[in-house]
């Protein structure tokens, strides 16, 4: 009987385990995670979880009974230290080992860290897991926390800024680039979002670089910019992107390049080892190049592809990438990849609190962005087609 080991029990790993059973896989499935908690939903950690007046509990991805009923061995609070590709064995940090026939790497990504003077001060936060969110929530609730500074105007930074504004804090966002969410959205969408958040009280400072952090009693007290501007800060969230967790893969000799390199079936350079989710980088049918996509939808889609390959089933039909976010009364949704377009069309919508943007290349719809139009995402997804060979010329 085969054994499939999955390292990482976030949405990618958990979906892979569930899909294997749904596909009729009869072998042993071991799902390994470093955290002690039951695998949980991560999106609320930067949104509603921070605002809950009671001590919040994480929302499980699946009830515990699901793992028992589907014969998935859930191994929590276990850290994998090494992969031996010759012996087909993984080694845990406590020295114990597990044999595998198939291995799925769903190791995710870690927040990119700042290397500046004062970056290790108390009061400077990063956000990735349950523990990070609990510490951030506790800090936001302290009466002495009045001025919150977010470093980075990506999706996570804007979500935390929205929660902080709702908590009555003064919020400043510092971004080295010229606009918010530049990696994932068009200027039309980000300008709309920036305007609404500014109206709600968020102060944006674009094209600014940090020089160092100021301190008082070993706690952050300010952020100093390169142009001499000093910004008061009782709490700082650094949200400047994520670095894929590829150390295990690299040490095992797998090909990596800003992620673990995979083919269309999510296979790595070792045909019995797969990589999915935030740590994986490979072809996507809806954009040229080899992107690494950090979304819940992508993690789930790649998990289903890997499970199909392990079970020798037909690869699922490609679906356009998508993401969503809740930002201060705005339900933001995007379909496709906001890259490689040559035309931006804003569709007239009512009321003025909503937005619909179409991104096109040679009359082909590349991506669409909608705000406060929840039913449009399902309609627009049908209009986005895979990249053709001529599109890459």
């Amino acid at each position: 009987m085969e054994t499939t080991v999955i390292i990482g029990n976030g949405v990618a790993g958990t979906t892979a385990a569930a899909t294997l059973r749904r596909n009729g896989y009869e072998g042993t499935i071991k799902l390994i995670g470093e955290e002690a908690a039951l695998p949980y939903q991560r999106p609320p950690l930067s949104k509603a979880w921070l605002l809950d007046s009671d001590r919040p509990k994480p929302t499980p991805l699946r009830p515990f009974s699901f793992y028992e009923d589907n014969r998935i061995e859930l191994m929590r609070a276990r850290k994998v230290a090494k992969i031996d590709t010759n012996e087909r064995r993984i080694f845990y940090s406590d020295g114990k080992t597990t044999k595998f026939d198939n291995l799925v790497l769903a190791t995710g990504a870690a927040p990119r860290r700042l290397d500046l003077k004062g970056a290790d001060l108390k009061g400077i936060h990063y956000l990735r897991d349950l523990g990070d969110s609990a510490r951030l929530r506790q800090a936001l609730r302290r009466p002495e926390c009045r001025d919150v500074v977010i470093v980075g105007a990506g999706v996570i930074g804007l979500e935390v800024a929205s929660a902080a504004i709702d908590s009555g804090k003064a919020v400043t966002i510092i971004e080295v680039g010229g606009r918010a969410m530049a990696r994932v959205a068009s200027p039309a969408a980000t300008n709309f979002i920036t305007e609404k958040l500014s109206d709600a009280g968020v102060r944006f400072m674009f094209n600014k670089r940090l020089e160092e952090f100021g301190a008082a009693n070993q706690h952050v007290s300010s952020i100093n910019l390169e142009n001499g501007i000093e910004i008061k800060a009782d709490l700082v969230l650094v949200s400047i992107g994520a670095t894929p967790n590829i150390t295990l893969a690299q040490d095992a000799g797998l090909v990596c390049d800003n992620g673990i390199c995979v083919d269309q079936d999510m296979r790595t350079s070792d045909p019995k080892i797969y990589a999915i989710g935030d740590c994986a980088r490979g072809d996507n049918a809806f954009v040229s190049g080899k992107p690494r996509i950090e979304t819940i939808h992508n993690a789930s889609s790649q998990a289903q592809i890997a499970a199909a390959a392990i079970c020798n089933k037909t690869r699922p039909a490609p679906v356009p990438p998508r993401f969503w976010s809740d930002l201060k009364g705005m339900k933001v949704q995007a379909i496709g990849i906001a890259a490689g377009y040559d035309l931006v069309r804003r569709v007239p919508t009512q009321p003025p609190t909503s937005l619909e943007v179409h991104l096109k290349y040679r009359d082909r719809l590349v991506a669409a962005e909608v705000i406060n139009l929840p039913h449009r995402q399902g309609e627009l997804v049908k209009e986005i087609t895979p990249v053709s060979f001529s599109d890459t010329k």
Side-chain angles (χ1 to χ4, degrees), residues 132-145:
D132 294 334
S133 187
R135 287 184 288 272
L136 180 59
R137 176 181 173 275
Q138 184 180 23
L140 279 169
R141 292 174 64 82
R142 291 191 179 113
E144 60 269 25
C145 177

Side-chain angles (χ1 to χ4, degrees), residues 44 51 54 124 142 171 344 374:
L51 296 172
D54 297 323
I124 298 177
R142 291 191 179 113
V171 178
V344 178

